[in-house]
Amino acid sequence: MATNKKDIRALTKEQLRDFFVTHGDKAFRGNQVYEWLWQKAAHTFEDMTNVSKETRQMLEDNFVINHIKVDTMQRSNDGTVKNAVRLHDGLIVESVLIPTKTRTTACVSSQVGCSLDCKFCATARLKRMRNLNPDEIYDQVVAIDNESRLYHNRPLSNIVFMGMGEPLMNYNNVIKAIDKITSSEGLGMSPKRITVSTSGVPKIIKKMADDAVKFNLAVSLHSAIDSVRTSIMPFNETFPLKDLREALEYWYEKTKRKISYEYVVWKGINDTQKDIDAFVQFCKYVPCKVNIIEYNPIDDGEFQQASNEALENYIASLEKNRIVVNVRRSRGKDIDAACGQLANKS
């Protein structure tokens, strides 16, 4: 039902304190409510058990908590969990819990749909409907942390912004969410355990460096040849490799932190020696590590996983040049939860 009430989580702690003072209460009440909203992730004002009934009613009269709801949850044969998350306005995004023997990782979304147009990604086929608010990003992490504790008996250890959307096209809200996630007044997670993955928006990469962010940066590269990259990631025409390279050099100069390159090898697209040589050269510009990612088809057959020989050629060339490379096998393919498959098909 439509409401004109303000979402209480849009208020800062100071604004909450001011609200209580102007309503004849003590400022510390704002601290109490703030703790309930973030540290304790309260879904309703009724959950706030150490706040008087009258105060809870006053909050109810003035505000809403636009909390997410896990609409459906699917569990894969390999332990991966995919959540279809319903937002307060009825729109749905997806987030994923990825378990291994040593860690549990949350893969979270930052937009409903995506701002970009990568041809190999199911999410890119959904038009971008809106950016997620900081609390909607935060809520995804809380939900996955709860699932990690329930199914794997341990708290969430890592977060990757590799779900639906281009995080750097929702930069301000992503940063606010990460601030809450890493705050002692929120989830208290280390920023070193958070990775923001981008397809490459040079201006915002430079801004992140200037903002001295503490999380890790990953770039979905997939080709170091402009014509090839533009054919599969058309926005590359606007943000060409030269500009991306300059931004990444700036990032490293300011932060002294390595870049991770996410790279899929496709048959007949980027599987030649020319592609390999260009990628190796690109990797030399800034200290980095490489994740070769297994491709997950999204139905039409235009993109197909390259041969093992092509993958081995990439790995051999990278290692010969002393570039750290890992091959990431996809998880959750049986529930469309793997990389590039998030498209609300559950």
Side-chain angles (χ1 to χ4, degrees):
M1 195 171 74
T3 176
N4 293 322
K5 293 180 193 174
K6 189 177 180 69
D7 184 349
I8 193 169
R9 288 189 295 175
L11 272 60
T12 64
K13 188 199 279 189
E14 290 67 35
Q15 288 171 325
L16 266 178
R17 288 168 61 89
D18 289 345
F19 169 81
F20 280 104
V21 170
T22 58
H23 283 74
D25 207 332
K26 301 282 194 300
F28 83 88
R29 193 74 66 205
N31 299 1
Q32 275 184 308
V33 172
Y34 190 86
E35 183 180 341
W36 275 108
L37 293 172
W38 296 107
Q39 239 177 1
K40 298 178 180 176
H43 285 222
T44 70
F45 297 116
E46 282 303 307
D47 293 338
M48 302 178 181
T49 50
N50 66 345
V51 176
S52 74
K53 195 170 182 181
E54 292 75 22
T55 301
R56 280 180 270 161
Q57 187 58 53
M58 180 174 70
L59 291 171
E60 192 79 51
D61 292 342
N62 287 276
F63 301 107
V64 292
I65 303 175
N66 284 331
H67 212 283
I68 67 162
K69 176 176 180 276
V70 177
D71 218 33
T72 57
M73 185 195 76
Q74 293 173 277
R75 293 184 69 189
S76 166
N77 296 329
D78 62 23
T80 300
V81 174
K82 181 172 78 167
N83 293 325
V85 173
R86 186 173 296 277
L87 309 175
H88 70 93
D89 54 6
L91 295 174
I92 289 182
V93 295
E94 294 181 341
S95 54
V96 182
L97 166 65
I98 307 161
T100 67
K101 287 181 180 177
T102 56
R103 62 173 64 177
T104 50
T105 299
C107 176
V108 300
S109 294
S110 55
Q111 296 180 311
V112 184
C114 187
S115 299
L116 301 183
D117 48 12
C118 304
K119 293 183 178 178
F120 52 83
C121 179
T123 308
R125 298 182 176 189
L126 309 172
K127 67 175 183 176
R128 187 194 74 81
M129 301 181 75
R130 71 171 174 86
N131 289 333
L132 293 189
N133 297 325
D135 52 277
E136 293 171 325
I137 296 169
Y138 186 91
D139 285 351
Q140 291 175 71
V141 175
V142 171
I144 292 175
D145 181 49
N146 289 338
E147 290 166 352
S148 177
R149 293 169 191 270
L150 177 63
Y151 297 123
H152 301 284
N153 296 313
R154 58 178 186 261
L156 188 64
S157 60
N158 297 76
I159 302 170
V160 294
F161 281 78
M162 295 182 185
M164 299 170 73
E166 166 53 62
L168 300 199
M169 294 293 198
N170 186 19
Y171 180 69
N172 291 336
N173 287 349
V174 165
I175 292 298
K176 286 176 184 174
I178 291 174
D179 285 346
K180 284 283 192 296
I181 290 164
T182 55
S183 166
S184 59
E185 295 182 318
L187 299 181
M189 285 190 72
S190 167
K192 293 177 182 176
R193 294 184 171 274
I194 299 174
T195 299
V196 172
S197 178
T198 176
S199 293
V201 186
K203 180 180 174 183
I204 308 297
I205 291 171
K206 288 181 177 179
K207 178 168 174 50
M208 287 198 299
D210 288 336
D211 289 346
V213 300
K214 300 290 188 245
F215 51 77
N216 304 304
L217 176 63
V219 176
S220 294
L221 195 67
H222 310 308
S223 179
I225 299 171
D226 266 314
S227 59
V228 176
R229 196 166 193 258
T230 299
S231 73
I232 57 176
M233 305 167 82
F235 69 88
N236 184 71
E237 201 156 11
T238 307
F239 307 127
L241 288 164
K242 173 177 67 70
D243 294 353
L244 178 58
R245 168 190 168 182
E246 183 191 318
L248 296 175
E249 288 172 335
Y250 186 84
W251 162 274
Y252 186 75
E253 182 187 324
K254 297 278 276 192
T255 69
K256 296 295 181 266
R257 291 209 302 285
K258 283 185 177 182
I259 310 288
S260 292
Y261 290 121
E262 312 290 333
Y263 202 96
V264 179
V265 187
W266 292 285
K267 183 179 178 181
I269 292 176
N270 60 349
D271 58 351
T272 69
Q273 193 59 47
K274 180 182 176 185
D275 295 295
I276 295 170
D277 293 343
F279 182 41
V280 169
Q281 182 57 44
F282 197 88
C283 287
K284 290 179 178 179
Y285 296 137
V286 180
C288 66
K289 62 180 181 179
V290 172
N291 292 317
I292 301 282
I293 301 172
E294 182 182 3
Y295 179 61
N296 305 293
I298 56 169
D299 72 26
D300 54 18
E302 180 185 352
F303 292 89
Q304 296 176 29
Q305 174 77 32
S307 67
N308 284 334
E309 182 185 1
L311 292 181
E312 291 302 327
N313 289 342
Y314 262 98
I315 293 164
S317 293
L318 289 162
E319 288 181 340
K320 182 181 175 185
N321 286 274
R322 297 182 178 177
I323 297 160
V324 175
V325 56
N326 298 296
V327 177
R328 284 223 319 251
R329 300 296 175 193
S330 290
R331 309 290 298 272
K333 286 192 285 188
D334 56 319
I335 56 170
D336 288 332
C339 198
Q341 290 185 321
L342 299 186
N344 293 336
K345 288 200 291 184
S346 55

